[in-house]
Short mmCIF file of all heavy atoms in Angstrom, two decimals:
data_model
loop_
_atom_site.label_atom_id
_atom_site.label_comp_id
_atom_site.label_asym_id
_atom_site.label_seq_id
_atom_site.Cartn_x
_atom_site.Cartn_y
_atom_site.Cartn_z
N ALA B 1 21.57 -3.94 2.47
CA ALA B 1 22.18 -2.62 2.29
C ALA B 1 21.10 -1.54 2.41
O ALA B 1 21.40 -0.43 2.98
CB ALA B 1 22.83 -2.57 0.90
N VAL B 2 19.94 -1.79 1.88
CA VAL B 2 18.85 -0.78 1.98
C VAL B 2 18.47 -0.51 3.42
O VAL B 2 18.30 0.62 3.89
CB VAL B 2 17.63 -1.21 1.13
CG1 VAL B 2 16.46 -0.27 1.38
CG2 VAL B 2 17.96 -1.22 -0.34
N LEU B 3 18.31 -1.60 4.20
CA LEU B 3 17.95 -1.48 5.60
C LEU B 3 19.06 -0.82 6.44
O LEU B 3 18.78 -0.17 7.45
CB LEU B 3 17.61 -2.85 6.15
CG LEU B 3 16.30 -3.45 5.66
CD1 LEU B 3 16.14 -4.87 6.18
CD2 LEU B 3 15.09 -2.56 6.06
N LYS B 4 20.31 -1.02 6.00
CA LYS B 4 21.46 -0.35 6.68
C LYS B 4 21.50 1.11 6.36
O LYS B 4 21.90 1.95 7.17
CB LYS B 4 22.74 -1.04 6.31
CG LYS B 4 23.94 -0.58 7.03
CD LYS B 4 25.21 -1.31 6.62
CE LYS B 4 26.46 -0.85 7.36
NZ LYS B 4 27.67 -1.61 7.02
N THR B 5 21.11 1.47 5.14
CA THR B 5 21.22 2.88 4.66
C THR B 5 20.07 3.75 4.99
O THR B 5 20.29 4.92 5.31
CB THR B 5 21.46 2.81 3.11
OG1 THR B 5 22.51 1.96 2.75
CG2 THR B 5 21.68 4.25 2.57
N PHE B 6 18.88 3.16 5.00
CA PHE B 6 17.66 3.96 5.25
C PHE B 6 17.00 3.54 6.56
O PHE B 6 16.79 2.32 6.71
CB PHE B 6 16.70 3.84 4.09
CG PHE B 6 17.22 4.32 2.75
CD1 PHE B 6 17.84 3.43 1.88
CD2 PHE B 6 17.14 5.63 2.40
CE1 PHE B 6 18.33 3.92 0.69
CE2 PHE B 6 17.61 6.11 1.18
CZ PHE B 6 18.24 5.23 0.33
N ASP B 7 16.70 4.46 7.41
CA ASP B 7 15.98 4.22 8.63
C ASP B 7 14.54 4.48 8.49
O ASP B 7 14.15 5.63 8.28
CB ASP B 7 16.60 5.10 9.75
CG ASP B 7 16.16 4.68 11.15
OD1 ASP B 7 15.12 4.06 11.28
OD2 ASP B 7 16.90 4.92 12.13
N PHE B 8 13.71 3.42 8.55
CA PHE B 8 12.30 3.59 8.27
C PHE B 8 11.41 3.78 9.50
O PHE B 8 10.23 3.69 9.40
CB PHE B 8 11.82 2.37 7.49
CG PHE B 8 12.41 2.22 6.13
CD1 PHE B 8 13.41 1.32 5.86
CD2 PHE B 8 11.96 3.01 5.08
CE1 PHE B 8 14.02 1.21 4.61
CE2 PHE B 8 12.51 2.90 3.80
CZ PHE B 8 13.56 2.00 3.57
N ARG B 9 12.02 4.15 10.64
CA ARG B 9 11.22 4.51 11.78
C ARG B 9 10.66 5.94 11.62
O ARG B 9 11.33 6.80 11.01
CB ARG B 9 12.07 4.45 13.07
CG ARG B 9 12.46 3.05 13.45
CD ARG B 9 13.47 3.04 14.61
NE ARG B 9 14.75 3.58 14.24
CZ ARG B 9 15.77 3.78 15.06
NH1 ARG B 9 15.63 3.43 16.37
NH2 ARG B 9 16.89 4.27 14.67
N PRO B 10 9.45 6.18 12.06
CA PRO B 10 8.77 7.47 11.78
C PRO B 10 9.65 8.67 12.19
O PRO B 10 9.74 9.66 11.42
CB PRO B 10 7.51 7.45 12.62
CG PRO B 10 7.22 5.95 12.71
CD PRO B 10 8.56 5.25 12.76
N GLY B 11 10.24 8.65 13.38
CA GLY B 11 11.06 9.79 13.79
C GLY B 11 12.26 10.00 12.89
O GLY B 11 12.61 11.13 12.59
N ALA B 12 12.88 8.91 12.44
CA ALA B 12 14.02 9.02 11.56
C ALA B 12 13.58 9.56 10.18
O ALA B 12 14.32 10.36 9.54
CB ALA B 12 14.68 7.68 11.37
N ILE B 13 12.44 9.08 9.70
CA ILE B 13 11.94 9.58 8.44
C ILE B 13 11.70 11.10 8.47
O ILE B 13 12.07 11.83 7.55
CB ILE B 13 10.61 8.85 8.06
CG1 ILE B 13 10.87 7.36 7.79
CG2 ILE B 13 9.96 9.46 6.84
CD1 ILE B 13 9.62 6.54 7.62
N ILE B 14 11.02 11.51 9.53
CA ILE B 14 10.69 12.94 9.69
C ILE B 14 11.96 13.81 9.70
O ILE B 14 12.04 14.82 9.02
CB ILE B 14 9.89 13.20 10.98
CG1 ILE B 14 8.48 12.59 10.82
CG2 ILE B 14 9.80 14.69 11.30
CD1 ILE B 14 7.71 12.50 12.13
N ASP B 15 13.01 13.33 10.41
CA ASP B 15 14.27 14.08 10.46
C ASP B 15 15.02 14.04 9.16
O ASP B 15 15.47 15.07 8.64
CB ASP B 15 15.15 13.53 11.55
CG ASP B 15 14.80 14.09 12.96
OD1 ASP B 15 13.85 14.87 12.99
OD2 ASP B 15 15.49 13.67 13.89
N LYS B 16 15.14 12.89 8.54
CA LYS B 16 15.92 12.73 7.27
C LYS B 16 15.30 13.57 6.19
O LYS B 16 16.04 14.20 5.43
CB LYS B 16 15.96 11.22 6.89
CG LYS B 16 16.69 10.95 5.56
CD LYS B 16 18.16 11.34 5.67
CE LYS B 16 18.89 11.07 4.34
NZ LYS B 16 20.29 11.51 4.41
N LEU B 17 14.00 13.56 6.06
CA LEU B 17 13.33 14.23 4.94
C LEU B 17 12.86 15.65 5.36
O LEU B 17 12.25 16.32 4.54
CB LEU B 17 12.14 13.44 4.42
CG LEU B 17 12.50 12.06 3.83
CD1 LEU B 17 11.26 11.34 3.34
CD2 LEU B 17 13.54 12.19 2.69
N ASP B 18 13.09 16.00 6.62
CA ASP B 18 12.73 17.33 7.10
C ASP B 18 11.23 17.63 6.81
O ASP B 18 10.87 18.61 6.14
CB ASP B 18 13.62 18.39 6.52
CG ASP B 18 13.51 19.77 7.21
OD1 ASP B 18 12.93 19.82 8.29
OD2 ASP B 18 13.97 20.77 6.59
N LEU B 19 10.37 16.77 7.38
CA LEU B 19 8.98 16.81 7.02
C LEU B 19 8.08 17.71 7.87
O LEU B 19 6.90 17.90 7.57
CB LEU B 19 8.42 15.37 7.05
CG LEU B 19 8.99 14.42 6.04
CD1 LEU B 19 8.34 13.02 6.20
CD2 LEU B 19 8.80 14.88 4.67
N ARG B 20 8.62 18.28 8.93
CA ARG B 20 7.77 19.17 9.77
C ARG B 20 7.79 20.57 9.21
O ARG B 20 8.09 21.57 9.90
CB ARG B 20 8.32 19.16 11.20
CG ARG B 20 8.19 17.82 11.96
CD ARG B 20 8.48 17.97 13.41
NE ARG B 20 8.63 16.76 14.10
CZ ARG B 20 7.70 15.96 14.60
NH1 ARG B 20 6.39 16.38 14.46
NH2 ARG B 20 7.91 14.86 15.24
N ARG B 21 7.47 20.72 7.94
CA ARG B 21 7.49 21.99 7.23
C ARG B 21 6.21 22.12 6.42
O ARG B 21 5.61 21.12 6.01
CB ARG B 21 8.69 22.06 6.30
CG ARG B 21 10.02 22.05 6.94
CD ARG B 21 11.13 22.14 5.86
NE ARG B 21 11.23 20.96 5.07
CZ ARG B 21 11.54 20.91 3.77
NH1 ARG B 21 11.75 22.07 3.14
NH2 ARG B 21 11.66 19.78 3.12
N PRO B 22 5.81 23.34 6.09
CA PRO B 22 4.62 23.54 5.29
C PRO B 22 4.91 23.34 3.74
O PRO B 22 4.93 24.32 2.98
CB PRO B 22 4.25 24.99 5.59
CG PRO B 22 5.53 25.67 5.90
CD PRO B 22 6.37 24.61 6.63
N ILE B 23 5.11 22.11 3.37
CA ILE B 23 5.46 21.78 1.97
C ILE B 23 4.36 20.98 1.25
O ILE B 23 4.59 20.57 0.08
CB ILE B 23 6.76 21.01 1.91
CG1 ILE B 23 6.67 19.64 2.70
CG2 ILE B 23 7.92 21.81 2.42
CD1 ILE B 23 7.86 18.73 2.57
N TYR B 24 3.20 20.81 1.86
CA TYR B 24 2.29 19.79 1.37
C TYR B 24 1.22 20.28 0.41
O TYR B 24 0.79 19.54 -0.45
CB TYR B 24 1.67 19.09 2.54
CG TYR B 24 2.71 18.43 3.39
CD1 TYR B 24 3.07 18.97 4.66
CD2 TYR B 24 3.34 17.28 3.02
CE1 TYR B 24 4.09 18.38 5.41
CE2 TYR B 24 4.37 16.72 3.74
CZ TYR B 24 4.71 17.25 4.96
OH TYR B 24 5.71 16.64 5.70
N ARG B 25 0.85 21.51 0.45
CA ARG B 25 -0.17 22.05 -0.47
C ARG B 25 0.24 21.84 -1.89
O ARG B 25 -0.60 21.46 -2.79
CB ARG B 25 -0.44 23.56 -0.17
CG ARG B 25 -1.07 24.33 -1.26
CD ARG B 25 -2.57 24.01 -1.46
NE ARG B 25 -3.05 24.50 -2.75
CZ ARG B 25 -3.45 25.72 -3.00
NH1 ARG B 25 -3.37 26.66 -2.04
NH2 ARG B 25 -3.87 26.09 -4.19
N LYS B 26 1.53 22.05 -2.19
CA LYS B 26 1.95 21.89 -3.59
C LYS B 26 1.95 20.45 -4.10
O LYS B 26 2.00 20.21 -5.27
CB LYS B 26 3.38 22.53 -3.75
CG LYS B 26 3.40 24.02 -3.59
CD LYS B 26 4.75 24.60 -3.79
CE LYS B 26 4.76 26.11 -3.62
NZ LYS B 26 6.16 26.66 -3.75
N THR B 27 1.96 19.53 -3.14
CA THR B 27 1.96 18.10 -3.55
C THR B 27 0.53 17.61 -3.84
O THR B 27 0.37 16.51 -4.39
CB THR B 27 2.56 17.20 -2.46
OG1 THR B 27 1.69 17.20 -1.31
CG2 THR B 27 3.93 17.64 -2.01
N ALA B 28 -0.45 18.38 -3.44
CA ALA B 28 -1.86 17.90 -3.43
C ALA B 28 -2.45 17.83 -4.78
O ALA B 28 -3.58 17.32 -4.95
CB ALA B 28 -2.69 18.80 -2.52
N ALA B 29 -1.82 18.30 -5.84
CA ALA B 29 -2.25 18.14 -7.18
C ALA B 29 -1.04 17.81 -8.10
O ALA B 29 0.07 18.28 -7.81
CB ALA B 29 -2.95 19.41 -7.77
#
């Protein structure tokens, strides 16, 4: 069920989590 629900390929991860954004400085601490 997990493998059917979540796509762990890099392109799918980037799209699903909308990662091409400047959100990372706040995670660094």
Side-chain angles (χ1 to χ4, degrees):
V2 172
L3 289 174
K4 184 177 180 180
T5 305
F6 298 93
D7 192 334
F8 294 103
R9 291 173 292 176
I13 294 172
I14 290 168
D15 277 2
K16 178 64 180 177
L17 300 180
D18 193 14
L19 295 180
R20 296 191 191 275
R21 297 180 290 146
I23 59 173
Y24 299 106
R25 160 72 196 280
K26 292 180 180 179
T27 69

